[in-house]
Amino acid sequence: MSTSIGQNNFENQLEDMVRSFVQEKLETVMKEEMNQFFEENPELKNYKNGSYGRQLDTKYGRIEDLQVPRDRDNAFQTEMFQPYQRYEQWLGETIVTMYHKGMSTREIGNFLEHILGHAYAPGTISNITDVVIEDIRAWQERPLQKRYA
């Protein structure tokens, strides 16, 4: 089955719409988190200080300019992701699982490029797996049963 140029364009538009919807909802949730944070901590004499842009890789693709709210004293931190996190948890788990299965870092990078639309360098993938290297070593050195079903 071949896809026409029109269908490809439609799929790209649909993907862009989903990413913009996800971005809008993430930004709304983070703003509400910040408002709630200041309501729960009235003793903080802190002021909102706009937002900063960052990118975040989600299962819906890369969000290029996600606006994360901030305050002057940097007391607020969103629960959506860690301060320097650039990808959702599922991505790290997926990389580790593929690494466990014996895929090379370059193969993993090619797979992620196909899924997310951009490539991760083999070094980046290696850094992600280094975070859980002890778990990987324990899995590789686990005692094997005599017989598998």
Side-chain angles (χ1 to χ4, degrees):
M1 180 175 131
S2 66
T3 58
S4 68
I5 293 174
Q7 183 175 353
N8 226 359
N9 190 21
F10 174 73
E11 289 171 357
N12 290 339
Q13 288 177 350
L14 188 59
E15 288 174 2
D16 289 343
M17 285 175 49
V18 168
R19 270 194 303 275
S20 68
F21 177 78
V22 169
Q23 178 176 355
E24 178 184 322
K25 296 309 167 198
L26 286 173
E27 289 172 353
T28 301
V29 168
M30 287 186 289
K31 286 177 186 174
E32 285 304 314
E33 272 184 337
M34 185 175 217
N35 291 337
Q36 187 68 31
F37 176 77
F38 285 120
E39 286 176 15
E40 291 173 357
N41 301 299
E43 72 279 357
L44 292 176
K45 297 201 176 5
N46 205 344
Y47 302 101
K48 296 178 183 177
N49 193 22
S51 60
Y52 64 95
R54 64 172 298 169
Q55 66 184 19
L56 182 69
D57 289 336
T58 69
K59 53 181 110 179
Y60 307 105
R62 177 175 275 186
I63 297 175
E64 287 292 337
D65 191 30
L66 183 65
Q67 294 300 310
V68 181
R70 64 180 171 197
D71 61 307
R72 290 188 183 182
D73 294 337
N74 204 20
F76 169 74
Q77 179 59 322
T78 182
E79 296 295 321
M80 303 290 286
F81 43 80
Q82 298 299 315
Y84 296 101
Q85 182 180 348
R86 295 290 182 245
Y87 53 88
E88 287 184 333
Q89 185 65 27
W90 71 271
L91 184 60
E93 292 170 358
T94 302
I95 290 171
V96 169
T97 301
M98 289 188 288
Y99 191 76
H100 275 261
K101 301 286 183 186
M103 289 181 72
S104 72
T105 55
R106 293 191 192 287
E107 290 171 332
I108 294 170
N110 291 336
F111 173 76
L112 293 176
E113 181 176 14
H114 181 70
I115 297 297
L116 296 174
H118 69 279
Y120 276 98
T124 303
I125 294 169
S126 199
N127 289 341
I128 292 170
T129 57
D130 284 347
V131 171
V132 291
I133 197 70
E134 291 304 318
D135 292 339
I136 292 171
R137 284 198 182 116
W139 179 84
Q140 290 173 338
E141 296 170 0
R142 74 190 186 284
L144 298 177
Q145 298 175 357
K146 290 183 179 181
R147 185 174 176 177
Y148 285 94

